[in-house]
Each structure stands twice: as C-alpha cells, then as structure tokens.
Amino acid sequence: MSSSFIKIDTKNAKPKSGRKLKTMLLFPPEWVPTAPYLALPSLTAVLRENGHEVIQRDINIEMYELFFSDMFLIWVNARMAQQLRELKGKEAQGELTEKEIDQKECLEEVLSFDVMELASSAEEAKRINRSEDFYDASKLEWALNVFRDVMRYISVAYYPASLVYYPMESNLGYRPGVSSEVYACLNDPQVNVYRDVCQQLVLPSIAKERPDVVGISIGTKMQLIAGLTFGKLIKEAYPDIHITVGGNVITRLQEDLAKQEPFFTEIFDSAIMYEGEHALLWLLEALVGDREWTAVPNLMYKEQGHVRINSEIYTEKTTSLPLPDFEGFPLDSYFVPTRILPYLATRGCYWGKCTFCDHGQGYFDQYRGKPAQDVVREVKALQEKFHADHFLFADESYPPALFKKVSQLLIEENVDIKWTTLIRFEETLQDPEIWDLAAKSGCKTLYYGMESANERVLELMDKHAKKSVIENNLKEAARVGIWNHVMAFYGFPGETKEEAEDTRQFLLDNKASIHSVELFYFVAYRHTPMVRNPEKFGITIHKQDEYDMPLDYYYTLNEPGGVSCLDAMQLCEEFYQNDFASWAVRINAREQIFLYISKYGTNKLPQIYATNHTPAEAKPDTVAGLITWPVAKADPEGGKDGEPGMARVVSHSAK
C-alpha cells in the first residue's frame, strides 16, 4: 500500500450541510477493570468539539459489574441447569461424547454450589475494591479470589471456554489468528460469552439511543473476539447503523482484514487505521455527504463490492488536540477506591529503535510530544474537571527530558497528584536530584523494559543500555521511595544460555531495588524489524496458510547454540518455580500497587507479598476459594509445538 501524508485544509473545505450524527463509542472486553482506557475519551473530545452527540460506553467494566451480580449469576445457574438436563437426556440414550462426559461432570459439581452465597461474596468483593478496605491487603486478596471464583463458575456455563479475571487470559477455544475460527466463534452461542454480554448490555442501549454510527475500539488482541461479536450482532439487529472499528489491533491486521470481505459485509462497514480522532470526524462528514469518501484519511471501507484502503494517512498534531473527555464514563464504577485517569503526552516512542518491538505499528509517523507546560496544564485541568488525583501516564516510554521538566513543573505549580508511567533506563537520569524531584512531584511507580541484563544482547536489540546505568536508575528510584517494576525476557535470537543467566542473576543481585518482576519469553511479532529481516538475526520465520490474521510467528534459530523458543519457555518456568517467590505479590494489577504506594507513601510494603502472610489471614467474614472443581480449559492458541501463535507473551514495555 502506497501512502502519503496530507495536510487537511479546513479553511477552504466545501460548505458543510451542518448535519450532525449521533455516535455511540464502545470499548469491548477484556481489559483490566481498574481505570478507563484513553481511546474513547480522546475520540469523544474531538467529536463533541465539532458538535456531534456522543455516547461512550466502557462495556469492559459494565461486563464485570454484570458478571459479579446476583442477577447474572442466577441466569448463568439456570443456563447450566438446562445444559445438564440436555446432557442427561443424551446420556440416557447412550449418546454422550467424551467431551460431553467431562462437561456433565463440571456442571454437576458446580451446580452443587450455592449460587446465592457466591453472589453475596461477589457483592462484598466489589464493595471491598471500592472502599477503604481496599487498602487491607488480606481483604483485597480475598476479594480478588472471589472474582476468580466467579469467573470459574461462569466458565462452566460456556464450556469449554476458560474465562479469567486477571491477568487477561480468557480463552474461548478459537484461534484469533485464523479468520475462519474467528468467524465461527462469533456464531457459537455455547462458548462465546460476549454474545450474551452484547445482548444484555449493548443492544438494549442501542435500542434506547438509536445512534447513527457505532464505533468499536479494539486496542488489544484480547478484545478482538468481543469487538467483532458486538459488530456482528449490532449489524444483524440494526443493519442501517454504520459500524466502524479501529484501534491498534485493527491497524496491525489491516492487510488481512482487507481480504476478509465477509467482515465488511456482516460485521462492520469501515475500519479506521492508525490514529482515529480526526479520521472518525471526517468519516462522519463523509456519511452526511460533506466530504468525499476518498478524502477520508486512514480509512478502509467497502466500495462497489471491493474493499478499498485510502492512501492518505493523517497523523494527529498533539499540541492542538482537545482535552480527553471522560464525561459519561462510569468513573466511580472501576474496582478501585479512588479515580484514576490515563493521560498521554506523546505519540509513538522517542527511542523507536528496538528490533523486537512493533508498538510503533499503531502510529504511521513516529514520535511526537507536547511541551511540559502543556502537559502540566492539561493534567491540572483533568484533575479539576473530573476530581481525580491519580494519573496513569500511558506513554510508550516517557522521554527523559519530559520526565525531568514535568516533575519540576508539578512541584513549582503545586499540582498535588500521584502518577506512574513506563520509562527507559537512561544515562541522562543518573543525577540523584532528578529522582528527588520525581518523587516529590508524586511519581509512585515506574515500569521499565529492561529486556536483558547482558550488554551484548542489549546491543543486538538496539536498546544500547549499560548495566551500570540500569543499576543506577533502579537504586536512585528505590532510594526516594518509587516502586520499580522490571520486565525482561529470555530467548532473544543470538542470546546464549550464559547470557540468559546474566539476566536472572542481575534480578537476584538487585532485589533490594527491584520490587516486582515479569519475566517472559521472546515472541517474534509480525511487524518488527526482526521479522522483516529474519536472516539478519539468524532466524527462520514459519508461516502457515491457515493463520491468515497473525500478530506473531513461530520461529526457529538458524544456528545451534542459542536459546531457542522452547528453551526460553523452559527457562521462564524454572525462574518462576525457583526464583520468583520473593517477588510474588498478592495484589498484582498495576493500578492496585500504584494506589498502595500512594496510600502508604513508601515502596516498603511487606503486607502485599505472598511470602509474608498465611492463608488464614486472607479470610474476612465470608470465605472465598470454595470453588475448586477442575474446569476443562479450551485448547490454547497454537496448540502444538511448532505452530505459530504458541508464544504469546512478551514484554510490552518501555523501550
């Protein structure tokens, strides 16, 4: 696809009809239900600024609110009872398959449990998450276990799906990298829980509001099935509504989606790639005849039976965008006791060199940012307008110059907030005064993409970080009370087992200044420099025709002696079995730890580590953990060794 930048001439545009469209924006599951995601408020701000009526719905948090309610659990219980009756009927006829025998056993066990007791526990768990009891680690751990129990309970009703509260690892048994399976999943009422979510939460809202346009933001792979399910059911019920999809995953899959004509016929009418604020605005103008369809940048749509991708690409000017608009979001419904707002000062990554990373695929242009003065002004405005004192700076990697200037300005202007962000280890951040200012300005937790502690491997990655700098940054941050979360992975092509051991040993040697750890195995993401030039990195990429919507590929090393994909998996498993105990936390969502640091004012929090409590401590008046049946899990994506899609997790971290 050939692309070109365009500069939109709004002054000389043709006269507008003045017609405005009512738009409903949907954020589908699954995402962490502790804070809003920034996509919808950013889109809403531009549309409302231009006179369009917008209803924005965070269906993710609405789904969890629904799941953890007596109404839904009673409904699920009835669904399971009906399923069991049908299976017993087949059993009487001697017609049960092995899978159905397993399903019947799960249903019989779960239906013996008191659903009203579970529903009561779920209500108490929600109350704990939204009250000061949140800061009692034993009570919070109990509440999180209740949520996990509820998800296991609901999973049986959608057998063999596995629905998980946190981390986001729900599995419906269909591979999202295979379009035929994605489409089959959309039509499968047995496992596709999102069909019921849509029917109970989305369709009634559309019937009430009657929007002209529905926009669905699909930012992560975990949202793909839910987002497409919503689109399909809305299209079936309301064929005259224009449905558009967008988000990072849509951008990454643009070439594949263009080949999936049924998607444009039965699920959505258009797709917006890259940044969507003004592209969505101009799409609305095209829908009312005020703009030619070919003049809408970043747009993919169906025209005369063919999918067309407009060549023009528009990148947002960060300094001229309006303040994100959270009006209409359920800001007090998230599972935290205080409001947390996301804020983005930059687009893209200022470093932008890491050979394993494809985050920049969501932006056609690379790094752009706002001046520190604008950042602080906008944060103050959000604080005052939405009564929030906690902020997630959601940048790909916070630039060191901005880190220093924003810290200084927050202090000078007496902006009393608490904040967290992702950051890169930098030589320019070694001065102790920088860290003193950061802590004084309200910085509480930092997330670092270390990736490796071996300098040769870091050079191969084009990270160019020095081990001494990594140690310095961690020690200085820890000294001033900032919580350090370090992410790394095994198996970068060319890494030896000895070099992988350097990473493990570094983590162990620096326990005093590393408060939490995530260790992954390398994944060959589709749009990375490595996958585009595999021979340069000594790997062979294995593609299979059935995987026609891949986000990553299985790979093998061209030469023996390095850490293979399977080696890296084994090393990860050994790390978590042998070395991880001292880092195991009872509360592990990013926002939860952030609030604990904010509450207690220190990175010394022994009460949240699993090694510092006994199970008896984690039980208030009601008891979690009663559901212990063996729920059958759906086959993981990629199933067999050697198939693409088997390696799914890697450090999505600061560069």
Side-chain angles (χ1 to χ4, degrees), residues 11 23 31 40 107 150 248 259 264 269 286 309 330 350 361 403 416 423 427 472 482 487 500 641:
K11 292 183 179 179
T23 302
W31 189 249
L40 265 56
L107 286 166
V150 171
N248 191 279
K259 301 173 185 176
F264 282 86
D269 300 290
I309 301 178
Y350 77 93
Q361 184 66 20
F403 183 78
D416 186 14
I423 197 168
E427 291 190 33
N472 169 274
I482 293 172
M487 295 169 280
D641 290 349

Side-chain angles (χ1 to χ4, degrees), residues 350-374:
Y350 77 93
W351 182 253
K353 300 176 184 177
C354 298
T355 55
F356 59 83
C357 180
D358 68 350
H359 280 204
Q361 184 66 20
Y363 301 102
F364 187 83
D365 193 14
Q366 267 298 331
Y367 174 75
R368 287 149 286 141
K370 299 179 180 180
Q373 293 84 351
D374 289 355

Side-chain angles (χ1 to χ4, degrees), residues 334-605:
Y334 296 94
F335 294 158
V336 286
T338 189
R339 292 181 176 184
I340 305 174
L341 293 185
Y343 176 79
L344 195 62
T346 63
R347 299 280 173 109
C349 176
Y350 77 93
W351 182 253
K353 300 176 184 177
C354 298
T355 55
F356 59 83
C357 180
D358 68 350
H359 280 204
Q361 184 66 20
Y363 301 102
F364 187 83
D365 193 14
Q366 267 298 331
Y367 174 75
R368 287 149 286 141
K370 299 179 180 180
Q373 293 84 351
D374 289 355
V375 172
V376 173
R377 175 179 52 80
E378 291 190 339
V379 167
K380 287 171 64 177
L382 289 170
Q383 179 189 33
E384 294 169 6
K385 183 174 182 179
F386 297 106
H387 309 290
D389 297 323
H390 292 78
F391 286 85
L392 303 175
F393 291 169
D395 306 76
E396 295 278 339
S397 183
Y398 219 74
L402 195 63
F403 183 78
K404 291 183 277 190
K405 292 176 183 177
V406 166
S407 296
Q408 183 68 52
L409 285 173
L410 287 172
I411 296 169
E412 291 177 359
E413 299 187 22
N414 296 312
V415 184
D416 186 14
I417 64 165
K418 310 296 187 293
W419 57 279
T420 177
T421 194
L422 290 91
I423 197 168
R424 173 183 147 82
F425 296 112
E426 286 281 6
E427 291 190 33
T428 57
L429 296 178
Q430 295 191 85
D431 186 345
E433 184 180 358
I434 294 171
W435 297 99
D436 292 330
L437 290 173
K440 189 177 180 181
S441 74
C443 180
K444 296 299 176 184
T445 61
L446 289 174
Y447 287 71
Y448 307 84
M450 183 180 76
E451 323 310 1
S452 172
N454 180 275
E455 290 187 6
R456 191 190 76 85
V457 175
L458 290 170
E459 288 296 309
L460 290 177
M461 296 177 181
D462 278 349
K463 287 190 70 76
H464 307 303
K466 300 297 182 183
K467 190 173 178 179
S468 60
V469 171
I470 296 173
E471 288 178 318
N472 169 274
N473 288 178
L474 289 171
K475 288 178 180 178
E476 287 298 330
R479 174 184 62 82
V480 297
I482 293 172
W483 179 283
N484 292 321
H485 180 88
V486 172
M487 295 169 280
F489 59 82
Y490 287 136
F492 186 84
E495 180 182 56
T496 66
K497 290 187 177 180
E498 291 76 19
E499 289 168 333
E501 173 63 20
D502 287 346
T503 297
R504 171 185 171 274
Q505 195 60 50
F506 179 88
L507 295 173
L508 296 174
D509 291 344
N510 288 274
K511 278 185 180 180
S513 53
I514 298 175
H515 304 94
S516 53
V517 167
E518 286 178 87
L519 193 62
F520 309 94
Y521 45 85
F522 172 74
V523 175
Y525 282 107
R526 171 180 177 177
H527 297 288
T528 60
M530 296 194 66
V531 170
R532 288 195 293 267
N533 300 284
E535 64 287 341
K536 178 181 176 181
F537 294 91
I539 60 175
T540 297
I541 299 297
H542 299 276
K543 301 179 182 180
Q544 291 186 1
D545 291 340
E546 64 174 339
Y547 280 83
D548 54 352
M549 292 173 52
L551 290 173
D552 57 73
Y553 296 116
Y554 179 67
Y555 71 94
T556 54
L557 302 177
N558 294 340
E559 299 291 338
V563 177
S564 70
C565 182
L566 297 180
D567 290 336
M569 292 180 186
Q570 181 62 35
L571 288 171
C572 277
E573 184 176 342
E574 291 173 1
F575 177 84
Y576 281 107
Q577 286 180 347
N578 303 327
D579 303 312
F580 187 68
S582 62
W583 283 299
V585 290
R586 302 157 68 187
I587 55 171
N588 53 5
R590 170 180 173 178
E591 292 80 8
Q592 292 166 349
I593 292 176
F594 172 43
L595 291 182
Y596 264 68
I597 302 290
S598 177
K599 172 74 171 180
Y600 294 108
T602 176
N603 55 22
K604 309 288 185 186
L605 294 171

Side-chain angles (χ1 to χ4, degrees), residues 293-308:
W293 279 81
T294 54
V296 180
N298 306 8
L299 187 68
M300 187 190 317
Y301 60 100
K302 194 172 183 180
E303 181 183 58
Q304 298 179 346
H306 299 285
V307 177
R308 175 190 175 100

Side-chain angles (χ1 to χ4, degrees), residues 278-331:
H278 281 85
L280 178 57
L281 172 66
W282 295 324
L283 170 62
L284 299 188
E285 292 181 0
L287 286 168
V288 299
D290 288 343
R291 180 179 291 270
E292 296 294 331
W293 279 81
T294 54
V296 180
N298 306 8
L299 187 68
M300 187 190 317
Y301 60 100
K302 194 172 183 180
E303 181 183 58
Q304 298 179 346
H306 299 285
V307 177
R308 175 190 175 100
I309 301 178
N310 287 346
S311 60
E312 294 84 2
I313 293 173
Y314 181 76
T315 59
E316 297 292 343
K317 299 167 180 58
T318 56
T319 54
S320 59
L321 285 169
L323 200 67
D325 190 344
F326 294 91
E327 203 68 48
F329 252 48
L331 295 180

Side-chain angles (χ1 to χ4, degrees), residues 56-74:
Q56 49 181 341
R57 298 280 304 278
D58 186 344
I59 304 301
N60 181 64
I61 188 59
E62 291 185 32
M63 181 191 77
Y64 288 114
E65 181 68 36
L66 176 70
F67 281 2
F68 304 145
S69 70
D70 55 2
M71 177 187 71
F72 187 77
L73 291 175
I74 292 169

